[in-house]
Amino acid sequence: MNLVERVQSILLKPKATWPAIDAEPADAASLYKNYVMILALIPAVASFIGLSLVGIGAFGMSFRVPVVSGLVNMIVGYVLSLVMVFVLALIIDAMAPTFEGTKSQIGALKLSAYASTAAFVGGIFSLVPALSAIGALAALYGVYLLYTGLPVLMKCPPDKAIAYTAVVVVCAIVGGFVIAWVLSLLTPLPARIGALAPADAVAVLQQQWAART
């Protein structure tokens, strides 16, 4: 499997690519080593560069996360993203009988890994913190990838795929909030302010200013 070709094919023609993914031999080790661990580096490294080297600018101020904190944030975020792929695979596999699908641990892991491609690739926008929201929007394409892959890899009826997808997406959102919460604990306050909506950021800055005066 050529990594670049696989990324292009799953993003541009998922319906034609899922059957090929279903048919090819794979195990957890090879999926992680040859695909997940490589692509998961994109958002982790881009976030480090964006927060610690490029920096956040807003309201006439600029801030960079200290390099050590940025490295810790990068490593923890990278590990959690790897764990998240595995946890989602467990959820996909466990929910298969509920939606008349067939349980398959390796099929579920393939689905979780390749459906995460959009989120991983979209992480490149974190190079510029102001554009990170675009990466979040790009990750939404992963919902469509999941929807098209469930009937192929988990053998669920097509009419059950929407509900199946919805349940998995809800679990992914919860997991994403947990990861964001953990990373926020490792990120200095000014960087967290940069990720807030403008009105919220102003309120936080006013509170911090009032506490100092």
Side-chain angles (χ1 to χ4, degrees):
M1 178 186 66
N2 180 285
L3 179 65
V4 175
E5 290 179 357
R6 174 52 54 85
V7 169
Q8 291 177 337
S9 64
I10 194 62
L11 292 178
L12 301 179
K13 44 185 180 180
K15 290 185 177 180
T17 304
W18 283 125
I21 291 174
D22 184 41
E24 64 190 19
D27 55 31
S30 63
L31 277 173
Y32 266 86
K33 177 183 177 182
N34 299 324
Y35 198 82
V36 178
M37 294 180 69
I38 299 174
L39 289 188
L41 285 170
I42 295 175
V45 174
S47 180
F48 167 72
I49 294 174
L51 291 176
S52 295
L53 301 183
V54 176
I56 299 170
F59 312 110
M61 301 186 303
S62 61
F63 175 80
R64 290 186 179 87
V65 174
V67 172
V68 174
S69 297
L71 287 172
V72 172
N73 190 298
M74 177 184 71
I75 294 170
V76 173
Y78 177 68
V79 172
L80 289 178
S81 67
L82 300 182
V83 172
M84 187 64 184
V85 169
F86 185 75
V87 171
L88 274 183
L90 294 179
I91 294 170
I92 291 170
D93 190 45
M95 296 300 297
T98 303
F99 298 98
E100 302 179 17
T102 302
K103 288 175 66 68
S104 170
Q105 293 181 349
I106 189 61
L109 186 57
K110 285 180 178 180
L111 188 56
S112 178
Y114 290 113
S116 299
T117 301
F120 288 147
V121 174
I124 193 68
F125 289 101
S126 295
L127 284 170
V128 181
L131 300 179
S132 59
I134 298 178
L137 293 176
L140 292 177
Y141 185 61
V143 176
Y144 176 72
L145 297 180
L146 181 65
Y147 168 73
T148 56
L150 282 170
V152 180
L153 276 81
M154 305 310 294
K155 316 303 180 188
C156 74
D159 61 329
K160 300 287 185 179
I162 293 179
Y164 198 169
T165 300
V167 172
V168 175
V169 168
V170 169
C171 294
I173 291 172
V174 173
F177 276 121
V178 171
I179 291 176
W181 175 73
V182 172
L183 293 179
S184 72
L185 299 179
L186 304 173
T187 306
L189 179 63
R192 298 203 297 271
I193 291 175
L196 295 173
D200 295 332
V202 169
V204 172
L205 289 171
Q206 289 175 339
Q207 292 172 3
Q208 291 296 307
W209 177 259
R212 294 179 181 177
T213 58

